[in-house]
Amino acid sequence: MKYVSEYRDKESALKYTGLIKKLVTREWSIMEVCGGQTHTIVKYGIDQLLPDSVTLIHGPGCPVCVTPIELIDQAISIAGLENVILCSFGDMLRVPGSCSDLLGVKASGGDVRMVYSPIDAIAIAAGNPEKEIVFFAVGFETTAPVTAAAVLQAEHLGLDNFSMLVSHVLVPPAIEVVLSGEDCAIQGFLAAGHVCTVMGYTEYEPIAEKYGVPIVVTGFEPLDILEGIHMCLKQLEEGRTDVENQYLRSVSREGNRTAIEIMRRVFEITDRKWRGIGRIPGSGLRLRERFARFDAGKKYEVSSHEVDEPEICISGEVLRGNKKPLECAAFGNVCTPEHPLGAPMVSAEGACAAYYRYRLARGK
Amino acid sequence: MCLGVPGRIEEISENDDPLFVTGKVNFGGVLREVILAGIKDAKIGDWVIVHAGFALNKLNEEEASEVFDYLRQISEFGRIELEEADGISGCAEEVEID
Ligand code: SF4
């Protein structure tokens, strides 16, 4: 398939790893921010192809993983209400709240539906005027434009039976939290290609300068990641700390202004709690006042209280890149994709799920 | 969550409000309805990167071979050893979209 298969070419990948070996003269640690990249890395064994002196640290870039447990509990309460159809992306339905998950609500008779896009939830709302449709909106800047487009469609169609529980998060403030950590070992970053496809990368320039780290905007295929790693290592070896763009076919410095405009029209920036990490100022999106009637948090007064995670789950450490999934005592025994204790074991972008799926299966 | 899949625009629906323009996009033979509101001056034949039913951006065909250009450029500085050929698992085999 065009734009996909050619970026999985084995020979070019091996050339890249050979060149990386020639390039590095000392130990370096690089964080790939996005969980989608983590999956490519673990799936294709890219980390195992690199010289021992290069460590890849997996980042917090998994929106499902960082959605606060209180919001999941809120979604579970709303899904249990009579007359409500709750819709969200597949992974979100399996993430454990404090005592259940959304699929549990479905099993006990609730109407919980998996959708591919928030626009599907709009269609469900239009087709079921006697029901209340609630979309549980999670995602990074990549997903925010389509969520915003759904709100605008709901307004355009005059749907008053549609609302959303918004848990959108933004990447740059999380990178800053990781970098300001006390013993942060990260020397360079691969930034998430699809987040930057929308936003561009001007926001990363002051971060690279302030913390003295190179940042390379990187795509998702094996060759993209190998090139991104090579570019990042080259900067490190040369003592540069620039923002560079590996994912040229999709990303421009300014991003997609039309998509950004759609997103800004509907959302404004707010503080947000990240599961496993804590409250990060300016790291979330919420509906603007003009769209308050689509805010499920306001429409349904369900209470939620602070809850603790299962003690054994070290997902906070995993999300901050301090620990690898294999260092968790529960990994693969008490905690599995069938019975996840923490969100990183559920999501298609969670590091624990990636290790379980690709590493345990291969016996490595 | 941030998965983006490349596809080619085959059809564009008329809509007076650019916010509600949609189109049919071909993903390796499978057609899907996609919101094109984020694509300025979308044309049939354009390649776009699509996430959750929304086209995030046009793909730049000229830049598409840039990974290989970079590789060619950096390879010129010397021959590369390929002795670790057994390491990479599945790069060539797994070309399905997941
Ligand atoms: S393996 Fe399970 S319990 Fe351990 S950190 Fe990952 S999600 Fe939490």
Side-chain angles (χ1 to χ4, degrees), chain A residues 68 73 86 117 119 138 153 166 180 190-191 209 232 274 319 336 350:
Chain A
D73 284 351
L86 189 125
S117 163
I119 303 298
V138 299
Q153 281 207 5
V166 182
S180 12
L190 306 185
E209 199 180 313
C232 193
W274 290 48
L319 286 166
T336 62

Side-chain angles (χ1 to χ4, degrees), chain A residues 20-29 51-55 185 187 233 236-239:
Chain A
I20 288 170
K21 280 188 187 159
K22 286 193 79 152
L23 174 73
V24 289
T25 60
R26 46 161 293 191
E27 300 205 339
W28 297 112
S29 296
D52 291 341
S53 51
V54 178
T55 307
Q187 293 156 301
L233 289 168
L236 287 166
E237 289 283 343
E238 290 170 2

Side-chain angles (χ1 to χ4, degrees), chain A residues 312-315 318 325 328 330-331 335 341-345 352:
Chain A
I312 192 167
C313 177
I314 57 161
S315 64
V318 173
C328 173
F331 176 83
C335 181
L341 289 185
M345 188 53 100
C352 302

Side-chain angles (χ1 to χ4, degrees), chain A residues 94-165:
Chain A
R94 297 177 47 236
V95 177
S98 56
C99 28
S100 166
D101 58 28
L102 284 162
L103 281 186
V105 181
K106 189 182 167 83
S108 46
D111 197 343
V112 175
R113 301 188 192 179
M114 184 186 118
V115 290
Y116 157 76
S117 163
I119 303 298
D120 299 342
I122 295 290
I124 296 174
N128 295 276
E130 73 296 347
K131 295 271 186 186
E132 287 291 329
I133 283 59
V134 180
F135 178 68
F136 190 9
V138 299
F140 284 129
E141 293 94 323
T142 314
T143 317
V146 66
T147 311
V151 174
L152 294 171
Q153 281 207 5
E155 185 187 49
H156 178 72
L157 297 170
L159 294 177
D160 52 16
N161 64 334
F162 175 82
S163 59
M164 53 171 67
L165 194 58

Side-chain angles (χ1 to χ4, degrees), chain B residues 45-60:
Chain B
D46 282 345
W47 279 81
V48 285
I49 185 111
V50 177
H51 165 78
F54 186 95
L56 298 178
N57 216 349
K58 269 189 213 178
L59 283 167
N60 183 331

Side-chain angles (χ1 to χ4, degrees), chain A residues 138-214:
Chain A
V138 299
F140 284 129
E141 293 94 323
T142 314
T143 317
V146 66
T147 311
V151 174
L152 294 171
Q153 281 207 5
E155 185 187 49
H156 178 72
L157 297 170
L159 294 177
D160 52 16
N161 64 334
F162 175 82
S163 59
M164 53 171 67
L165 194 58
V166 182
S167 179
H168 267 283
V169 281
L170 302 169
V171 170
I175 293 191
E176 289 219 52
V177 167
V178 168
L179 279 168
S180 12
E182 241 170 48
D183 31 45
C184 172
I186 297 147
Q187 293 156 301
F189 275 93
L190 306 185
H194 290 147
V195 166
C196 296
T197 296
V198 175
M199 301 303 291
Y201 49 84
T202 51
E203 296 170 283
Y204 297 85
E205 289 162 354
I207 298 178
E209 199 180 313
K210 180 172 171 195
Y211 296 94
V213 287

